[in-house]
Amino acid sequence: FRVQSSEASIMRISVLIPVYNGIPYIAQAIESVLAQECQDWELVISDNGSKDGTRDYLRTLSDPRIRVYEQPSNLGIMGNLNFLLTQAQAPIAKILGHDDMLLSGGLERTAQFMEERPDCAVSRCWAQGDKIRYSKRGILRWENQLPSKLEPAAAILAFATFGNFVGNICRAACRPKLVLQEGGFDLKYPSAGDYEGWHRVARTFGIWLQNEELVFERIHKMQDSCVLTQTNQIDPQVNSILEIISKEVDPLLLQILKRHWTIHVFSPRFSRFARQVFSGRFSLASSIWRN
C-alpha cells in the first residue's frame, strides 16, 4: 500500500471510503467531506485495485488529514472495509461509499450523536429523501414507530424482518474497535457481509437509530448491490444469514417470520426468475431457482 499523508494527533472522527473503479464519483465524495463545517476529522481511503484512473486522482490529494492506501490486490468490499476499520485512528468512524456524499453538517451531527452515546457500537442514519418516504404519508410507516435504540433482541428481530437494517454502508457510523472486537465483516459473505456483520454487532450491543438525513445515497444501475442482485449472487448469502437469524429469534415468532420471508424474500426472487426465463437468460434463472 501507499500512504498519502497523515496527522500525528488523534482526530475526532474518521471518514472511511472504500473505493474500486470510482472515478465517476469519488471526487464528489471527497469534496463533500472537505466541505463539512466539522474539520476535526481524518479521511482514510483504500483503493481496491482500481483500473480506471482512480489512483491517479487520489495521488493528487494533498490535504494532510487524508491518508490513501493502494491495495496490491483486490480484497473484496468486505476485506477492504475490514482494512479501513483497522486504520481508523479516531474512536468513531463514518463509512462513506465512493459514490455517496455527506450532506452539509452531516459529519458534525454524526460525531455528536455517537459521542453522546458511548455505548453505541453502530448507528444508522437516514439518507436524503427518507423523511418523506418514512412519514405517515409514505409507504414505510414503521419507521416512526421504532425507539431510538433497539436492544439486542429487538435488533435481531429488525434484521430478521427488514433484511440489512442498516442499509447502504453510507448510512452507518460505528466504533471501529467494537466492530473489530466482534470479528469485523466475514469474508464468507462477499456481497452481504455488511448484513451479517452489522447483525452480529447489533446482537451484542444493539443498534441506535439516528433519524436525521445526513448523507446522499446515490442509486445507479452499476451499483454493486444492483448488479449482484440481478446476477443472483446475493441470494445464497442471504439464505445463510437467515438460517443463522432463525436460530436467534423467539421460536414463537419463527413461523410468522417464515411467512414474512416467503412474501418479502421468495416472491421478489420468483419475479426475477420469471424475467430471466422470459429474456432467455436460462443459466441465471437456474441459479435463482436453486436458491
Side-chain angles (χ1 to χ4, degrees):
F1 60 85
R2 171 184 150 280
V3 179
Q4 174 78 15
S5 53
S6 63
E7 276 285 307
S9 61
I10 300 298
M11 290 295 178
R12 182 182 181 193
I13 186 169
S14 299
V15 182
L16 310 179
I17 300 183
V19 57
Y20 174 71
N21 287 348
I23 201 61
Y25 308 116
I26 182 65
Q28 292 179 325
I30 293 172
E31 288 166 5
S32 77
V33 179
L34 295 170
Q36 294 295 304
E37 294 179 5
C38 171
Q39 291 291 299
D40 193 12
W41 49 259
E42 65 164 359
L43 172 57
V44 190
I45 305 168
S46 177
D47 180 86
N48 220 0
S50 294
K51 308 296 184 185
D52 66 343
T54 296
R55 288 190 170 185
D56 293 334
Y57 164 73
L58 294 175
R59 289 168 183 166
T60 69
L61 301 175
S62 58
D63 191 299
R65 295 167 296 179
I66 299 176
R67 283 183 286 138
V68 176
Y69 293 86
E70 296 180 354
Q71 302 301 335
S73 59
N74 192 296
L75 304 175
I77 179 63
M78 299 306 147
N80 208 14
L81 283 171
N82 284 338
F83 174 82
L84 284 166
L85 290 172
T86 66
Q87 299 304 311
Q89 295 180 1
I92 298 166
K94 175 63 185 171
I95 302 176
L96 193 65
H98 73 246
D99 47 2
D100 303 311
M101 294 184 292
L102 288 170
L103 298 180
S104 177
L107 201 56
E108 171 64 32
R109 297 207 297 278
T110 297
Q112 183 177 353
F113 183 89
M114 296 290 286
E115 288 166 351
E116 292 173 352
R117 296 159 178 82
D119 63 333
C120 177
V122 57
S123 66
R124 187 223 62 193
C125 73
W126 279 349
Q128 190 174 55
D130 283 354
K131 286 184 179 179
I132 294 175
R133 287 197 295 273
Y134 296 162
S135 70
K136 292 182 179 179
R137 298 182 301 277
I139 297 174
L140 300 177
R141 299 182 182 183
W142 50 266
E143 183 70 20
N144 290 327
Q145 306 304 314
L146 294 175
S148 58
K149 182 185 180 182
L150 300 184
E151 299 294 346
I156 291 171
L157 186 57
F159 279 93
T161 306
F162 303 114
N164 182 3
F165 191 59
V166 173
N168 186 291
I169 59 171
C170 72
R171 296 169 178 259
C174 68
R175 282 186 162 77
K177 287 185 178 180
L178 295 183
V179 176
L180 292 171
Q181 174 184 307
E182 292 301 307
F185 297 103
D186 194 332
L187 302 187
K188 291 187 300 184
Y189 304 95
S191 309
D194 50 341
Y195 180 9
E196 190 276 337
W198 294 136
H199 148 261
R200 187 162 17 88
V201 173
R203 184 177 62 191
T204 300
F205 297 101
I207 181 172
W208 284 89
L209 309 179
Q210 186 173 6
N211 293 333
E212 299 180 75
E213 295 186 354
L214 304 180
V215 295
F216 169 75
E217 178 185 345
R218 194 185 304 273
I219 307 297
H220 55 91
K221 291 183 179 179
M222 295 310 297
Q223 202 169 13
D224 284 346
S225 58
C226 295
V227 173
L228 296 170
T229 297
Q230 292 307 312
T231 54
N232 310 330
Q233 296 181 56
I234 294 181
D235 296 339
Q237 297 172 54
V238 171
N239 290 355
S240 178
I241 294 167
L242 292 181
E243 287 178 4
I244 293 171
I245 292 176
S246 70
K247 297 178 176 63
E248 299 172 349
V249 298
D250 185 334
L252 296 176
L253 297 175
L254 189 54
Q255 291 305 314
I256 298 173
L257 281 171
K258 286 181 177 179
R259 291 196 292 272
H260 172 80
W261 292 336
T262 299
I263 296 169
H264 295 285
V265 178
F266 172 77
S267 295
R269 292 185 191 179
F270 188 82
S271 297
R272 192 171 358 121
F273 166 77
R275 291 195 300 273
Q276 290 170 351
V277 168
F278 293 141
S279 62
R281 294 176 291 173
F282 299 116
S283 177
L284 276 177
S286 176
S287 72
I288 197 171
W289 185 258
R290 289 194 299 271
N291 291 320

